[in-house]
Amino acid sequence: MMQPPQTTTPPHEELDLRRIFGVLRRYSLLIVTVTLGAAAGTYVVSRQQTPTFEAVSSVVAVRNETGNNLISNTLVTAPPLPQGAVDEAVHSSTVVQDILSRLESTLQDPVLLNTVRADLQAELARNSFERIQVKARLDPQQAGIYEIRASGETPAVAKALANAAVASLLQWDTDRATQRVSKARISLQEQLSALDLRLNQLRGANSQLDRQSLLQARSDVLQSLAQVAVLEKAATGTLTLVAEAVEPAQPVAPKPLRNAVLAGLLALLLSIGAVLLADALRRRITSEDDLTVFGLPVLGRLPRISPRSLRSGLLNSTQTGLMYEMVGFLRVNLLSQIQSQGVRRFAISSSRPSEGKSSVTAVLAQGLAASGKRVLIIDADLHRPSQQKLWDLHSRGRPWRVLPGARKDAEPARSLAAAVLNPHGAQALAVSQNVDLLPAAGNHKRDISQIIEHPDFQSLLDRWSAAYDVVLIDTPPILALSDTLTVARRTDGILMVVESGQTSLPELERAVSNARTAGSHLLGFVFNKVSRTENAYYAYTYGYHDSDPRDFSGSTEAAPPTAPNLGRSGD
């Protein structure tokens, strides 16, 4: 059987949703913690803040057409206000001082009065206003409603400030009209004074006619002054009060629940973005070319199994089709690395958890068993054993085989820990045809290091391996524990599992460096969970052997044994 030609994986520009969901699932605890922490913290802080109440008063801007024949309408009515004039007026120094004067007669609490005075003066100095705000709803002719919103520490402060602001604004608007009428009155008074002066200066016979004319003019000016006096008292602006402010029943701020929800959503988005960004910045192994820097061969490529195929179990999904072919390549390439005759013992590991080392161990055992090899699987990952999740250890009718060197009449030792401590009762479960498993789980709660570092562990491995062609040892990730390097010294070498698109290059570099420093022999890599779109050879293989995948090897191998219905591996 020849190894399939290596191809360079083309870069993918499309968004890999499966990878994104995988990253989010891996960091879900961190994301949830940050989100809930931000929401809870914001809620607590908001509850401790001083409440703010808001009162609203409103005025209407109208066009006043009142006037008379003698004095223009512009002298008795203020002109329409341009856009933004009311906001500027309310926040002007004159109006602010008038507001403070009015508050002195309405607010009885001197502490609150001083606080409002300090805030208004500070806002006036920096030209940024929060206590009093104006909201306009006007038509194109600048007629409409102005809402004067005032905020305070108590409902009474908010109401008093809003009413004072409206009263000062209306007084300012009235003063605009009064100023024009006052100018007209002053002008008429000056005319009257001038006429009186000329009347006093008249002399001679011809002065009688001039005197009558001046008296008539003086009478007209007096009449105009009388009218101006009336208009001055009745002068109005363009603003009219619509509704006075009332004390608010509920504060407008803070709103702890709303703030907590917003803070939680923001923290959720930021944490997701940070996680995805950090994940994107990691240098990942995305093709076999990324592994050439280590000088080790890629012994096999295993495709990602779809959820639909996994419904029948992981091992069932490897008996036909693409996975069967790829496991065949891995089997031949792995065995070709060892030239010695007799028992071949391999440690299977990875740089970090969840790369699929336990699943690779199981499917490789199936492939070796299908070629007639007798295989013993030893689950040496005592911290997080996974083989019992892949094989049905409790199925009826599965025999326990006595391992070489053990006695049938001894107390059964049906786990790695128990077998090391009681080698005379060591037994392995026949999980499939030609496949036996010595699981890691057991009732012994001893220190794990005592099992791996046991002085008889080497001799026990040699003894147990005597009845098998291949021994596969499922070991912990190299970067997580040193157990793998300890076990690897007692094997023919380490088979490193690398997850496509997930294993980072720095992690793999550290794992390989640790193994080489410890003197462990590295056999090569298994490129695991490869998408079918990442390798053109996969499509060719699957299409070429759609009749009977068992003919691919060109041998007379028996069909793979029927495996139990298994779930997804947790390694």
Side-chain angles (χ1 to χ4, degrees):
M1 187 183 301
M2 297 180 60
Q3 182 179 359
Q6 297 185 3
T7 58
T8 302
T9 302
H12 293 278
E13 300 297 334
E14 66 270 10
L15 193 64
D16 191 347
L17 294 180
R18 180 183 298 155
R19 175 176 171 180
I20 291 177
F21 290 144
V23 172
L24 296 180
R25 182 174 63 252
R26 195 160 57 247
Y27 294 97
S28 59
L29 180 60
L30 174 63
I31 294 174
V32 171
T33 302
V34 171
T35 301
L36 294 180
T42 302
Y43 184 83
V44 172
V45 172
S46 298
R47 287 293 298 264
Q48 295 177 347
Q49 292 178 345
T50 303
T52 300
F53 295 87
E54 185 178 78
V56 181
S57 182
S58 58
V59 296
V60 61
V62 296
R63 296 179 61 87
N64 196 339
E65 304 297 338
T66 304
N68 56 50
N69 296 328
L70 179 62
I71 301 176
S72 173
N73 180 54
T74 58
L75 295 178
V76 294
T77 305
L81 292 168
Q83 183 73 27
V86 171
D87 186 69
E88 292 293 332
V90 170
H91 298 136
S92 64
S93 177
T94 302
V95 175
V96 169
Q97 294 302 326
D98 188 63
I99 292 173
L100 292 175
S101 299
R102 295 175 185 272
L103 285 176
E104 292 178 355
S105 60
T106 55
L107 282 181
Q108 303 301 323
D109 190 338
V111 176
L112 292 176
L113 179 61
N114 292 334
T115 301
V116 174
R117 178 185 292 108
D119 288 347
L120 289 178
Q121 291 176 347
E123 292 176 0
L124 187 63
R126 65 174 180 263
N127 196 30
S128 177
F129 304 94
E130 297 178 358
R131 281 278 188 175
I132 303 175
Q133 296 181 345
V134 179
K135 182 178 180 181
R137 293 179 292 172
L138 305 177
D139 60 18
Q141 287 74 36
Q142 301 303 313
I145 299 294
Y146 289 96
E147 290 183 352
I148 312 301
R149 297 178 176 269
S151 59
E153 293 79 1
T154 65
V157 172
K159 174 186 175 182
L161 186 56
N163 288 332
V166 169
S168 297
L169 176 63
L170 293 176
Q171 183 61 49
W172 171 84
D173 189 43
T174 302
D175 290 344
R176 289 194 306 135
T178 303
Q179 288 174 0
R180 291 179 172 270
V181 179
S182 297
K183 289 180 180 180
R185 176 178 54 78
I186 294 173
S187 177
L188 290 174
Q189 287 176 345
E190 291 176 351
Q191 294 179 30
L192 181 61
S193 298
L195 290 174
D196 290 339
L197 181 60
R198 291 182 61 185
L199 285 172
N200 294 332
Q201 294 176 350
L202 287 179
R203 297 290 186 274
N206 296 330
S207 63
Q208 190 66 29
L209 181 59
D210 294 336
R211 185 179 181 83
Q212 293 296 327
S213 299
L214 291 174
L215 290 174
Q216 182 62 41
R218 187 175 185 277
S219 177
D220 293 338
V221 170
L222 288 174
Q223 183 179 2
S224 298
L225 276 173
Q227 293 179 347
V228 167
V230 174
L231 292 174
E232 189 174 15
K233 294 180 180 180
T236 60
T238 58
L239 301 178
T240 303
L241 179 64
V242 174
E244 291 185 344
V246 296
E247 290 189 3
Q250 298 292 334
V252 295
K255 295 182 178 179
L257 184 59
R258 183 199 63 180
N259 295 342
V261 171
L262 294 178
L265 290 176
L266 180 60
L268 176 63
L269 295 177
L270 290 178
S271 58
I272 289 176
V275 165
L276 294 179
L277 178 61
D279 183 76
L281 293 178
R282 293 176 57 195
R283 293 180 297 165
R284 299 180 178 278
I285 306 297
T286 57
S287 70
E288 296 178 26
D289 291 340
D290 298 329
L291 299 173
T292 58
V293 296
F294 299 100
L296 297 172
V298 177
L299 300 179
R301 294 178 295 273
L302 300 181
R304 183 185 300 276
I305 302 177
S306 65
R308 180 179 179 183
S309 300
L310 283 174
R311 292 173 185 172
S312 60
L314 173 65
L315 298 180
N316 283 339
S317 66
T318 66
Q319 295 179 11
T320 59
L322 182 58
M323 178 62 83
Y324 182 85
E325 308 296 346
M326 294 300 99
V327 172
F329 282 117
L330 173 60
R331 180 186 71 243
V332 173
N333 291 336
L334 177 62
L335 295 179
S336 67
Q337 295 294 310
I338 306 298
Q339 301 300 326
S340 62
Q341 300 296 322
V343 179
R344 300 170 183 178
R345 200 156 53 219
F346 306 104
I348 300 179
S349 185
S350 59
S351 59
R352 61 176 183 82
S354 302
E355 295 189 68
K357 61 176 182 60
S358 297
S359 300
V360 171
T361 302
V363 298
L364 178 58
Q366 283 281 67
L368 291 168
S371 63
K373 304 291 185 182
R374 292 208 49 179
V375 183
L376 172 64
I377 300 176
I378 299 178
D379 192 350
D381 192 348
L382 302 177
H383 293 269
R384 295 179 60 183
S386 299
Q387 290 300 323
Q388 63 264 33
K389 301 176 184 178
L390 298 172
W391 306 92
D392 187 4
L393 304 187
H394 305 288
S395 177
R396 295 182 179 179
R398 295 187 180 279
W400 285 89
R401 305 183 190 277
V402 177
L403 292 176
R407 300 193 306 266
K408 293 183 179 180
D409 57 347
E411 181 182 355
R414 294 176 175 177
S415 69
L416 177 60
V420 171
L421 299 176
N422 180 24
H424 296 294
Q427 296 183 7
L429 179 65
V431 292
S432 181
Q433 183 178 355
N434 292 335
V435 179
D436 295 342
L437 170 64
L438 181 59
N443 296 325
H444 295 76
K445 302 299 182 181
R446 300 192 176 239
D447 185 30
I448 293 176
S449 62
Q450 294 181 3
I451 306 301
I452 300 300
E453 300 286 351
H454 198 280
D456 296 334
F457 190 55
Q458 175 69 59
S459 61
L460 290 175
L461 283 180
D462 295 338
R463 185 188 308 170
W464 295 340
S465 302
Y468 298 92
D469 300 310
V470 178
V471 177
L472 301 179
I473 305 178
D474 185 1
T475 60
I478 291 180
L479 296 182
L481 296 169
S482 61
D483 295 353
T484 299
L485 303 181
T486 302
V487 174
R489 294 196 299 265
R490 300 175 172 90
T491 66
D492 293 313
I494 303 175
L495 182 63
M496 289 289 294
V497 177
V498 176
E499 183 178 359
S500 174
Q502 293 297 329
T503 304
S504 70
L505 187 58
E507 289 175 341
L508 188 58
E509 288 175 344
R510 286 163 46 207
V512 171
S513 176
N514 291 349
R516 287 173 171 170
T517 302
S520 301
H521 178 49
L522 292 171
L523 300 173
F525 299 106
V526 176
F527 204 37
N528 194 30
K529 301 181 184 181
V530 180
S531 173
R532 298 193 182 202
T533 60
E534 295 180 4
N535 199 320
Y537 176 79
Y538 288 163
Y540 166 77
T541 303
Y542 190 72
Y544 186 73
H545 298 284
D546 56 357
S547 58
D548 188 354
R550 289 170 292 181
D551 295 336
F552 179 77
S553 62
S555 65
T556 58
E557 296 176 354
T562 301
N565 188 13
L566 304 171
R568 186 188 300 268
S569 171
D571 57 7

